[in-house]
Amino acid sequence: MVASGMEIAMPLPGFEPVDPSRLSRISQIKGWFRDAFSVSPNAHILVVELQCREEGCPPIETVITVLDDPCCAGKYKVHKTLKEVEWKDICALASGEKGRAGEGHGSNEN
């Protein structure tokens, strides 16, 4: 919608506007992941916060998916909300300590 030369953002039905601080936090986590894993600048990194319904899983987890990078393509999970994820959590993923998806819950899926 355009009014007097100014664009007004209208949220799509069923979607809430995205909080800028949330986008900033996602960007920070992506940057940490790129640094910790030496991910190619051309690779795509997706960071989402999901409800986990698996037994023994915390109710919310942060899932990081890497595409287009042969060194670390796959899915990584941190059993924390976006706000709770810290640099040390990403370092733990990089060292293989925890959170890699594929070897059962919380391991790396390629």
Side-chain angles (χ1 to χ4, degrees), residues 4-18:
S4 304
M6 183 163 67
E7 188 173 324
I8 301 172
M10 301 286 293
L12 295 173
F15 291 91
E16 294 181 24
V18 179

Side-chain angles (χ1 to χ4, degrees), residues 27-68:
S27 180
Q28 181 180 40
I29 292 170
K30 285 181 181 183
W32 288 343
F33 197 92
R34 278 192 196 281
D35 292 345
F37 282 81
S38 299
V39 176
S40 161
N42 297 324
H44 293 86
I45 300 174
L46 309 172
V47 177
V48 295
E49 189 177 61
L50 300 174
Q51 285 186 336
C52 183
R53 295 191 169 109
E54 295 179 31
E55 190 173 325
C57 179
I60 303 289
E61 64 185 0
T62 299
V63 179
I64 303 164
T65 304
V66 181
L67 307 170
D68 310 324

Side-chain angles (χ1 to χ4, degrees), residues 52 54-58 61 77 79 99-107:
C52 183
E54 295 179 31
E55 190 173 325
C57 179
E61 64 185 0
K77 298 179 182 182
H79 296 256
R100 299 187 68 149
E103 304 160 5
H105 187 76
S107 53

